[in-house]
Amino acid sequence: MMGKTCLLLAAFAAAAVDASTTVSIMEFGKKGSVRRTTSTGGQTTVAGVESFWKAMSNAGLQQPGMTVVPDLFHKPTNSVVVGITGADLDSMPNLSKLVETENRNVVGQMRVSGSKGKALCKKAGHSVSTNAENMIEGVKSQIESGELSSVHIEVDSETAAEVDAKVEEMLMFLDKYAGDSTIVVHLVVEEEEGSVRRRLTSRRLEDQQDADEEDADGDNANECGEGCSVGKYINGVWVTPFKTMNEIQYFNVVLWTSIGLIVLVMYAIWLTIDMPLMADTLLFGESVKVMSD
């Protein structure tokens, strides 16, 4: 009954979810121009993201408490903002990896509530709208402009697969294009409201299912009486947190034997230290006999 109630509450909560915008900071070529902080929230505003962009070019101060900060000494050679709006991450696995999970080029993420993809692209300076076919050429031209600018791509259900493939192709292109220089790409992904709702609902259902399984395991453990063995199989081997009688006996034998030997050695050293010094009469007497002969 409790599980059904939690699932119902999760569904109602997901229904009230607004669209979401994620900014993934990616670095290509020589690393070190941007760094992840110890902050774990990741939630910010359009003004917060804009302050980060200004701090990267020493044009202003960054708002505190953000997950990514620019390096004080190492500045990127070029920066570009790539905005993708209307994305459905369920049908775009390559883009989803850059937004939801870790990637070798992703330094960190910032999350902004609401549909702020276009607004962020405008804050980046000169903005160019393009399609999936010309996406890489647009990114290259904006990088070569020498100033922070943006490329915006609108996604729908018909172009989602093509844009997702172009994202993977863009990553490979930037890896080769950067070379020994440093290129920072600010990937702005605005998810459609329905996509966010479905994803959060699925995540809450999975979390609730995991919690129910843990509760069930706890109940089974509590019901375990005398003679019940507690543990689990790992790679075909039964592992338990409790020691067997043989392990306890072996531990005690090794422990007290080691202690006894250490005490014996220390006692012998102590006797040697306190030993009185006396003349060697035996050797002295033999040497006198040899001399008399």
Side-chain angles (χ1 to χ4, degrees):
M1 183 64 182
M2 182 62 68
K4 293 181 179 179
T5 303
C6 293
L7 295 180
L8 186 60
L9 291 175
F12 280 118
V17 172
D18 196 1
S20 176
T21 304
T22 303
V23 182
S24 291
I25 314 300
M26 299 186 294
E27 194 174 29
F28 298 88
K30 188 177 179 181
K31 311 293 184 183
S33 62
V34 286
R35 301 183 183 279
R36 184 195 298 267
T37 66
T38 56
S39 178
T40 57
Q43 197 69 25
T44 185
T45 61
V46 174
V49 178
E50 185 182 10
S51 71
F52 169 68
W53 291 343
K54 288 182 178 180
M56 288 198 64
S57 58
N58 293 327
L61 296 177
Q62 183 179 357
Q63 292 184 4
M66 302 184 70
T67 55
V68 182
V69 295
D71 188 78
L72 294 176
F73 305 103
H74 180 203
K75 298 299 180 182
T77 309
N78 294 291
S79 299
V80 65
V81 177
V82 179
I84 301 177
T85 58
D88 184 359
L89 296 182
D90 293 335
S91 59
M92 305 178 74
N94 294 325
L95 186 61
S96 178
K97 293 177 183 177
L98 302 177
V99 174
E100 293 187 329
T101 59
E102 297 297 329
N103 181 276
R104 65 184 182 89
N105 296 114
V106 176
V107 180
Q109 289 104 359
M110 306 177 187
R111 307 192 186 278
V112 182
S113 299
S115 301
K116 304 298 183 181
K118 293 181 179 179
L120 287 170
C121 288
K122 291 180 180 179
K123 293 289 184 181
H126 179 62
S127 181
V128 175
S129 296
T130 184
N131 52 27
E133 184 178 357
N134 301 318
M135 177 179 173
I136 296 179
E137 288 77 8
V139 171
K140 181 180 179 182
S141 64
Q142 295 296 75
I143 291 176
E144 293 174 348
S145 66
E147 297 180 355
L148 181 64
S149 54
S150 65
V151 178
H152 174 253
I153 302 98
E154 185 74 29
V155 182
D156 54 30
S157 58
E158 296 180 356
T159 60
E162 184 180 2
V163 172
D164 191 56
K166 282 293 182 179
V167 168
E168 183 68 18
E169 187 177 342
M170 179 187 70
L171 298 180
M172 294 186 291
F173 163 75
L174 290 171
D175 271 330
K176 296 179 180 179
Y177 184 80
D180 295 331
S181 63
T182 302
I183 298 178
V184 175
V185 177
H186 310 270
L187 182 63
V188 179
V189 179
E190 177 189 309
E191 300 179 63
E192 62 174 3
E193 185 176 346
S195 173
V196 179
R197 183 182 298 113
R198 290 192 301 271
R199 185 162 51 86
L200 291 181
T201 301
S202 175
R203 183 177 299 174
R204 287 191 176 100
L205 293 177
E206 291 177 357
D207 293 343
Q208 183 59 40
Q209 184 177 0
D210 293 339
D212 291 342
E213 291 177 355
E214 291 179 359
D215 292 341
D217 293 339
D219 293 340
N220 293 335
N222 293 332
E223 294 174 359
C224 184
E226 184 179 358
C228 178
S229 59
V230 179
K232 60 182 178 180
Y233 281 101
I234 300 179
N235 297 327
V237 179
W238 177 258
V239 179
T240 176
F242 304 107
K243 301 296 182 182
T244 64
M245 184 57 65
N246 289 332
E247 291 175 336
I248 295 173
Q249 292 173 350
Y250 178 79
F251 173 81
N252 280 278
V253 169
V254 173
L255 173 64
W256 291 108
T257 302
S258 302
I259 293 175
L261 290 174
I262 292 173
V263 171
L264 182 61
V265 170
M266 296 300 295
Y267 180 70
I269 294 174
W270 178 75
L271 291 178
T272 304
I273 293 174
D274 289 343
M275 181 181 296
L277 297 177
M278 299 175 64
D280 193 346
T281 56
L282 179 62
L283 293 178
F284 181 78
E286 290 295 332
S287 62
V288 171
K289 280 185 179 183
V290 172
M291 292 177 64
S292 63
D293 292 341

